[in-house]
């Protein structure tokens, strides 16, 4: 069939350059890591107590995932399925903390809870009995600011779940608990697993939070070697190790999740009847209020307060203006590039049984930022010196890191669209591109916009890779925040920039969320 | 379709902005491992006095060294400012630096200059102890770095990770003067005594000022930076190993080098001359809170107990000796020097 061949050509055309940029950095690291003598590496790996470190990161990732689930999942159920007061507003507010990068969350809780922070000073003690520095503190911060991922996925799944299934179960004589355990939870399993995986992998590869909160992880070890030594071999070897474990987790996930992740529950059915909370309304409301406080009000309040202590804010902001522009347009370009490629990939895969390029793209998502930065810098200089140390290098980096979420958004939008619509247009004499332009594109617009904003948000706040890849004189907002927070000290400046970053991210994010929450009926 | 057009426009705009800017003759690209805030005043003054535009890339020493190595065939930077001689010497041995004997460097003591002119020390920093006055009384202060393995300091001492190059140089000084075995034992002793490794020296000074740790092993200007941040901080400075049998306090220097194949060699030389010249060096020393290597420039913080060159006992290891030993320190002690 010529049609299939055409899609194959398109996907091949997309696959080759993508593979080049995704696999190139990894290849570069493998090559650099291979130069290390094996015995020497093993000796140093022992000195670094790698097994203990890997165990500690696994613990951190597990705690974070559990904490994020404990926060996000009940919240999703409360807003979608109960008569919680103000549920529409909450449905809009709950995902907003994603606009606050976890490292900024860490900065905020450092200002609040660390020794010498606001709360210890207020209580007149040097440090609190519960130490923020360590795995517990890092899991606290990561869980708080990652919980919206779980919220988004689980609330989405709850909205799509056919309530008839639960009604039938109740009719068959099951109690509410049994319905939850035997019907609702299994239906939510794909969403729970997918959300849990995002949170797990993110905390597994996190750099910003763990370094601010003094947890030794593979990424901090890599970064310390990168900062302090001119050595290539050890950081490269550790990077390969880190990436290998990440890919392993991803493969494991594919086995566990299997095809379940792709099962679509067909049909927008009538909305589920709302559970009446009765006397529980107010405790539930307090729980939700507590979450909004911890993830939104407190961070914004602390940043705002710190920023207000900045002397001559106008002059400061004016100096930082170029960095803001740097961030803005690299993120805009990165998101646009990612979306264009994702559109091509998802379209050809969805319509033509073409090459599975998206599996390859996922490797990019599995590479932690620190590792990708190191590999990308070396690889670009060797392969594309014209791009090396230009802002294009940053755009390519954002593309490789975040094309997968873009792809997922586009695919999700395409799945809901029956190919017969496009075929109808073609049968009326339109060419494939014209049919796509006239029929498909307008229909998947919201999905595309969502994907674009997601990549934009993630790129705007990217820190680890940007630190290594950025050209001279081309800092981004996260880099400036990092410089002020980690190295120079006066927190008002870091807080001011953090506030600007959060608001810049929050704007399109809030816009997207209000589009989405139109589907939610007001609470009674 | 309007949005698609906007997307494309954004992409195009982005691409066009990445086109390499025309190389300007009066420009110098500085790769600096120094804190940007501290370096800014002198770079701004240079830009104003000479009309040469300074483009600054701030990073950590190792990060920049790797970048310089990657860019070997097509250098993007002109001047490298390192935090100790170690990394500069490593770059020299890889043939990445270009020798330059600045006429302004004549008064810099020989041991702070590479014999072949590849790097030159522009200011000095001393490895000291800082302490929290509320947690340690003057009577019980340690007298030596090597006292810190005493159980009395268990869990009370902090140091910066090896992400800070001066931490590596500090142990290199111990290797040079007390030998490898003694240093191994010393590091093991510190570790067993609960030495806390923090991300960087800024965290060390803050943690000591807050009283989280009683003593910090750090560089002298962090004491001044802390007082600059908060003049009421209860921190003190202590020059260790000053007794007749002591090895003295190690000294390092900020090094300036020109990169091999620099695109703006003239401007690079002008910058190094300026950093060593009377006006530039004074600004640099003041901005960095460091001690001058050139006579006649005032010592910042002298009124707060900071000592200038010749006023304290210096560890007798040359910058070159330290540089030689640093790779070994990385290898032996790197894993112990990570947070």
């Amino acid at each position: 069939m010529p049609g299939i061949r055409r899609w194959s050509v398109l996907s091949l055309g997309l696959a080759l350059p993508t593979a080049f940029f995704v696999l190139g950095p990894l290849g570069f690291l493998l090559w650099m890591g291979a130069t290390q003598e094996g015995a020497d590496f093993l000796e140093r790996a022992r000195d670094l107590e790698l097994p203990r470190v890997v165990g500690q990161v696994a613990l951190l990732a597990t705690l974070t995932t559990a904490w994020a689930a404990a926060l996000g999942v009940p919240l999703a159920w409360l807003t979608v399925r109960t008569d919680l007061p103000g549920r529409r507003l909450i449905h809009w507010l709950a995902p907003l903390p994603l606009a606050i990068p976890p490292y900024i969350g860490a900065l905020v809780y450092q200002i609040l809870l660390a020794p010498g922070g606001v709360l210890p000073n207020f209580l007149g003690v040097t440090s609190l009995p519960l130490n923020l520095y360590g795995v517990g503190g890092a899991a606290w911060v990561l869980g708080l600011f990652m919980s919206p991922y779980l919220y988004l996925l689980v609330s989405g799944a709850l909205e799509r779940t056919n309530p008839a299934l639960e009604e039938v179960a109740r009719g068959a004589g099951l109690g509410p608990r049994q319905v939850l355990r035997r019907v609702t939870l299994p239906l939510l399993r794909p969403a729970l697993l997918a959300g849990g995986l995002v949170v797990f992998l993110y905390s597994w590869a996190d750099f910003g939070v763990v370094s601010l909160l003094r947890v030794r992880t593979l990424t901090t070890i890599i970064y310390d070697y990168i900062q302090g030594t001119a050595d290539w071999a050890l950081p490269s070897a550790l990077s390969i190790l880190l990436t290998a474990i990440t890919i392993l987790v991803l493969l494991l996930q594919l086995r566990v999740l299997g095809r379940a992740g792709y099962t679509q529950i067909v049909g927008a059915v009538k909305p589920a009847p709302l559970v009446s909370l009765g006397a529980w309304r107010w405790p539930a409301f307090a729980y939700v209020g507590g979450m909004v406080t911890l993830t939104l009000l407190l961070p914004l309040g602390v940043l705002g307060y710190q920023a207000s202590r900045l002397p001559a804010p106008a002059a400061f902001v004016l100096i930082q203006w170029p960095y803001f522009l740097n961030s803005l347009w690299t993120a805009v370009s990165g998101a646009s590039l990612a979306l264009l490629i994702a559109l091509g990939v998802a379209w050809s895969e969805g319509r033509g049984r073409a090459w599975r390029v998206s599996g390859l793209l996922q490797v990019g998502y599995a590479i932690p930022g620190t590792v990708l930065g190191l590999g990308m810098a070396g690889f670009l200089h060797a392969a594309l010196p014209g791009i090396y140390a230009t802002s294009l290098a940053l755009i390519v980096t954002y593309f490789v890191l975040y094309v997968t979420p873009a792809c997922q958004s586009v695919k999700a939008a395409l799945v809901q669209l029956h190919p017969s619509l496009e075929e109808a247009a073609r049968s009326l004499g339109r060419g494939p591109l014209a049919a796509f332009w006239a029929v498909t594109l307008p229909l998947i617009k919201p999905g595309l916009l969502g994907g674009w904003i997601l990549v934009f948000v993630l790129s705007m706040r990217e820190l680890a890779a940007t630190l290594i890849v950025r050209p001279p004189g081309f800092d981004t907002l996260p880099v400036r925040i990092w410089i002020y927070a980690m190295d120079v000290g006066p927190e008002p400046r870091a807080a001011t920039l953090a506030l600007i970053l959060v608001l810049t991210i929050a704007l399109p994010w809030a816009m997207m969320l209000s589009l989405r929450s139109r589907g939610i009926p007001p609470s009674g | 379709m309007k949005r698609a057009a906007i997307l494309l426009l954004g992409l195009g705009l982005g691409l066009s902005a990445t086109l390499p800017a025309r190389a300007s003759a009066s420009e110098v690209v500085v790769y600096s491992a120094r804190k940007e805030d501290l370096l800014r005043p002198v770079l701004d003054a240079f830009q104003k006095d000479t009309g040469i535009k300074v483009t600054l890339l701030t990073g950590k020493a190792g990060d920049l060294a790797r970048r310089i190595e990657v860019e070997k065939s097509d250098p993007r930077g002109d001047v490298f400012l390192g935090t100790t001689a170690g990394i500069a010497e490593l770059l020299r041995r890889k043939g990445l630096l270009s020798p330059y004997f600045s006429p302004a460097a004549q008064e810099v003591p020989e041991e702070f200059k590479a014999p072949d002119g590849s790097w030159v020390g522009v200011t000095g920093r001393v490895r000291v102890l800082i302490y929290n006055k509320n947690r340690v009384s003057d009577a019980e202060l340690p007298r030596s770095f090597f006292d810190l393995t005493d159980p009395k300091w268990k869990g009370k001492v902090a140091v910066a990770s090896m992400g800070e190059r001066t931490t590596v140089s500090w142990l290199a000084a111990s290797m040079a003067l007390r030998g490898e075995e003694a240093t191994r034992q010393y590091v093991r002793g510190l570790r067993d005594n609960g030495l806390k490794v923090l991300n960087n020296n800024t965290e060390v000074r803050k943690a000591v000022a807050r009283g989280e740790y009683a003593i910090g092993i750090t560089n002298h200007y962090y004491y001044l930076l802390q007082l600059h941040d908060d003049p009421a901080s209860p921190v003190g400075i202590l020059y260790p190993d000053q007794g007749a049998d002591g090895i003295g306090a190690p000294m390092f220097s900020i090094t300036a080098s020109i990169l091999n194949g620099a695109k703006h060699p003239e401007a690079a030389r002008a910058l190094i001359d300026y950093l060593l010249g009377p006006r530039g060096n004074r600004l640099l020393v003041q901005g960095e809170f460091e001690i001058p290597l050139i006579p006649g420039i005032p010592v910042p913080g002298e009124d707060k107990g900071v000592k200038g060159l010749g006023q304290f006992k210096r560890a007798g290891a040359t910058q070159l000796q330290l540089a030689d030993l640093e790779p070994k320190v990385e290898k032996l002690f790197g894993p112990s020097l990570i947070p």
Side-chain angles (χ1 to χ4, degrees):
Chain A
M1 284 197 290
I4 288 180
R5 204 167 303 135
R6 188 159 26 218
W7 301 135
S8 298
V9 170
L10 172 63
S11 72
L12 196 66
L14 291 167
L16 286 179
T18 311
F20 184 67
F21 285 117
V22 172
L23 299 179
L26 277 183
F28 180 80
L29 288 178
L30 261 178
W31 181 61
M32 293 309 277
T35 56
Q36 171 102 12
E37 318 97 85
D40 188 42
F41 174 70
L42 286 180
E43 192 185 317
R44 283 209 265 174
R46 199 196 55 217
D47 288 348
L48 284 167
E49 301 176 315
L50 284 187
R52 200 185 61 81
V53 173
V54 171
Q56 175 162 297
V57 189
L59 175 69
L60 170 72
T62 311
L63 282 178
T64 303
T65 313
W67 174 226
L71 291 169
V73 177
L75 188 65
W77 183 76
L78 283 171
T79 38
V80 178
R81 286 298 181 82
T82 70
D83 59 350
L84 185 76
R87 52 198 288 270
R88 269 192 94 164
L89 178 69
I90 292 159
H91 196 55
W92 185 77
L93 280 177
L96 259 185
L98 279 186
I100 301 174
Y103 59 83
I104 290 181
L107 198 64
V108 163
Y109 280 97
Q110 210 179 8
I111 292 172
L112 280 176
L113 303 179
V118 176
L119 189 62
N121 277 353
F122 178 74
L123 297 173
V125 294
T126 320
S127 56
L128 298 173
L130 275 176
N131 196 348
L132 181 70
Y133 294 124
V135 174
W140 161 266
V141 170
L142 281 167
L144 274 180
F145 294 94
M146 295 297 288
S147 64
Y149 278 107
L150 271 158
Y151 175 84
L152 276 173
L153 283 158
V154 173
S155 65
L158 276 172
E159 280 167 31
R160 286 194 307 268
T161 305
N162 192 339
L165 292 169
E166 288 163 344
E167 275 164 32
V168 167
R170 266 191 294 274
L174 295 185
R177 268 188 208 175
Q178 277 173 311
V179 172
L180 183 71
R181 199 166 47 93
R182 293 174 59 180
V183 181
T184 316
L185 278 181
L187 284 171
L188 291 181
R189 207 179 121 227
L192 281 171
L193 278 174
L197 186 79
V198 171
V199 177
F200 188 91
L201 283 182
Y202 187 94
S203 30
W204 166 255
D206 172 65
F207 162 69
V209 174
V210 288
S211 81
L212 277 168
L213 298 184
R214 304 178 190 169
V215 180
R216 184 192 285 205
T217 68
L218 285 175
T219 41
T220 62
I221 294 178
I222 292 169
Y223 203 75
D224 256 323
Y225 272 92
I226 292 178
Q227 285 188 323
T229 75
D231 185 11
W232 274 100
L234 192 74
S236 304
L238 288 176
S239 301
I240 294 294
L241 176 71
L242 179 58
T243 311
I245 300 179
T246 316
I247 292 177
L248 216 67
V249 173
L250 270 177
L251 290 177
L252 201 72
Q253 165 252 352
L254 276 182
R255 283 205 76 117
V256 174
L257 212 60
R259 293 262 134 206
Y262 297 93
T263 310
Q264 285 287 322
I265 296 144
V266 182
V269 282
K270 62 171 179 156
L274 295 185
V275 175
S276 173
L277 286 173
W280 287 102
R281 285 180 77 151
W282 301 111
F285 189 70
Y287 158 80
V288 172
M291 254 200 86
V292 171
T293 309
L294 287 178
T295 55
L296 271 182
L297 300 181
L298 215 50
L300 290 178
V302 168
L303 291 180
Y305 171 71
Q306 287 282 334
S308 74
R309 291 171 51 203
L310 185 78
F316 176 73
V317 170
L318 209 64
I319 294 173
Q320 309 295 327
W321 182 245
Y323 306 123
F324 173 75
L325 288 182
N326 290 346
S327 277
L328 197 62
W329 75 256
T330 45
V332 165
S333 313
S336 308
L337 183 64
L339 192 76
L340 278 177
I341 301 284
L343 189 59
V345 168
W347 192 41
S348 60
E349 278 184 18
R351 294 290 180 266
R353 293 182 293 281
W355 287 36
R356 289 265 157 210
V357 188
S358 55
L360 184 67
L361 295 182
Q362 214 161 17
V363 177
Y365 200 47
I367 308 175
T370 314
V371 175
L372 184 75
L374 190 61
M376 189 62 94
F379 166 69
L380 284 183
H381 191 270
L384 289 168
I387 290 184
Y388 173 80
T390 66
S391 29
L392 259 182
L394 280 178
I395 296 170
V396 169
T397 305
Y398 297 152
F399 160 71
V400 172
L401 279 172
Y402 302 127
V403 66
T404 292
C407 216
Q408 281 165 346
S409 307
V410 178
K411 270 185 179 171
L414 278 173
V415 156
Q416 289 165 351
L417 196 72
H418 203 273
S420 59
L421 283 171
E422 213 174 293
E423 281 157 19
R426 295 205 54 192
S427 71
L428 291 172
R430 300 267 186 144
L433 272 177
F436 174 78
W437 194 254
V439 177
T440 313
L441 201 58
L443 285 171
I444 59 173
K445 238 174 162 178
L448 294 188
L449 184 63
W452 188 90
I453 289 178
L454 191 60
V455 182
F456 169 77
V457 166
L458 292 170
S459 308
M460 268 304 273
R461 58 183 235 192
E462 208 290 328
L463 170 65
T466 309
L467 273 175
I468 302 173
V469 176
R470 76 202 148 111
F474 193 93
D475 292 349
T476 61
L477 275 189
V479 170
R480 299 309 301 178
I481 294 168
W482 186 81
I483 286 180
Y484 288 132
M486 285 279 288
D487 240 23
V488 186
E491 275 125 1
R493 294 186 301 183
T496 306
L497 291 186
L499 197 62
I500 295 176
L501 179 66
V502 167
L503 294 179
T504 315
I505 294 175
L507 212 68
W509 189 244
M511 221 169 67
M512 183 175 89
L513 290 174
S514 30
L515 281 178
R516 197 183 62 105
S517 64
R518 273 183 209 153
I520 286 274
S523 43
Chain B
M1 292 319 93
K2 215 163 104 192
R3 194 176 34 74
I6 291 171
L7 287 190
L8 287 172
L9 190 74
L11 194 64
L13 210 73
L15 293 179
S16 65
T18 59
L19 292 177
R22 262 166 288 128
S24 148
S26 57
E27 190 198 355
V28 59
V29 182
V30 179
Y31 286 4
S32 156
R34 293 301 305 134
K35 294 189 197 327
E36 198 176 306
D37 271 16
L38 308 184
L39 198 58
R40 266 286 171 212
V42 66
L43 293 184
D44 287 348
F46 171 75
Q47 191 164 317
K48 210 171 135 212
D49 290 356
T50 61
I52 298 173
K53 184 175 171 284
V54 179
T55 301
L56 183 61
L57 178 86
T58 299
K60 287 288 180 180
D63 197 359
L64 296 172
R66 213 173 277 99
R67 192 184 268 258
I68 291 167
E69 201 183 337
V70 162
E71 295 172 353
K72 191 175 179 173
S73 55
D74 176 23
R76 309 294 170 97
D78 299 309
V79 170
F80 170 61
L81 297 179
T83 45
T84 69
I87 290 273
E89 184 59 21
L90 211 78
L91 291 174
R92 184 189 74 78
R93 287 177 194 178
K94 290 188 174 174
L96 297 168
L97 301 182
S98 157
Y100 172 56
F101 290 99
S102 168
Q106 271 165 12
E107 285 185 279
V108 176
E110 284 308 315
E111 67 153 304
F112 291 105
K113 293 188 271 196
D116 76 338
S118 286
W119 47 264
V120 55
V122 289
T123 64
R125 57 263 300 274
V126 189
R127 195 67 169 177
V128 297
L129 297 176
I130 60 170
Y131 60 95
N132 186 299
K133 290 175 177 168
N134 299 332
R135 288 197 60 180
V136 201
S137 71
D138 282 354
E140 53 177 357
L141 279 176
R143 317 200 46 183
S144 157
F145 285 119
F146 301 95
D147 290 346
L148 297 174
T149 52
D150 190 304
K152 137 170 127 170
W153 301 115
K154 196 166 181 67
K156 293 182 180 169
V157 183
V159 72
S161 79
M162 72 159 176
E164 296 272 18
R165 199 62 201 173
T166 46
T167 300
V168 177
S169 303
W170 160 62
L171 287 178
S174 164
M175 293 265 278
L177 298 169
R178 301 193 61 177
E180 183 178 322
E181 195 40 47
T183 308
R184 269 181 198 263
Q185 273 177 21
Y186 175 51
V187 173
R188 200 173 309 132
L190 284 175
R191 227 171 110 160
D192 292 347
N193 214 18
L195 173 74
K196 179 68 187 178
V197 180
L198 298 176
N199 282 311
N200 50 45
N201 282 310
T202 304
E203 277 193 14
V204 171
R205 73 158 161 93
K206 287 186 168 182
V208 171
R210 283 195 296 258
E212 256 183 281
Y213 298 94
I215 293 186
I217 305 169
T218 186
N219 307 326
H220 82 274
Y221 53 90
Y222 284 96
Y223 162 71
L224 292 176
L225 284 174
Q226 181 58 41
L227 290 178
H228 181 72
D229 248 17
D230 175 12
S233 307
V235 288
I237 185 170
L238 187 152
Y239 286 74
D241 297 288
Q242 297 294 298
D245 55 339
I247 60 166
M251 230 186 109
F252 325 121
S253 66
I254 295 184
T255 59
S257 325
I258 300 179
L259 301 184
N260 201 359
K263 301 267 192 320
H264 312 101
E266 294 293 327
R269 285 197 280 272
L271 178 61
I272 289 185
D273 293 347
Y274 192 86
L275 292 179
L276 288 162
R279 175 166 152 77
N281 202 250
R282 186 179 291 252
L283 278 170
L284 183 65
V285 164
Q286 273 168 6
E288 299 272 0
F289 296 97
E290 303 226 351
I291 62 177
L293 298 176
I294 296 170
I297 290 179
V299 179
E302 221 168 357
D303 54 324
K304 299 186 179 78
V306 170
K307 298 170 182 174
L309 212 57
Q311 293 172 325
F312 64 97
K313 183 171 178 181
R314 238 162 74 197
T318 66
Q319 300 301 300
L320 222 51
Q321 264 179 305
L322 297 182
D324 275 338
L325 285 164
E326 283 181 14
K328 198 153 192 186
V329 170
E330 274 171 28
K331 211 160 202 169
L332 289 177
F333 308 122
S336 309
L337 295 173
I338 287 175

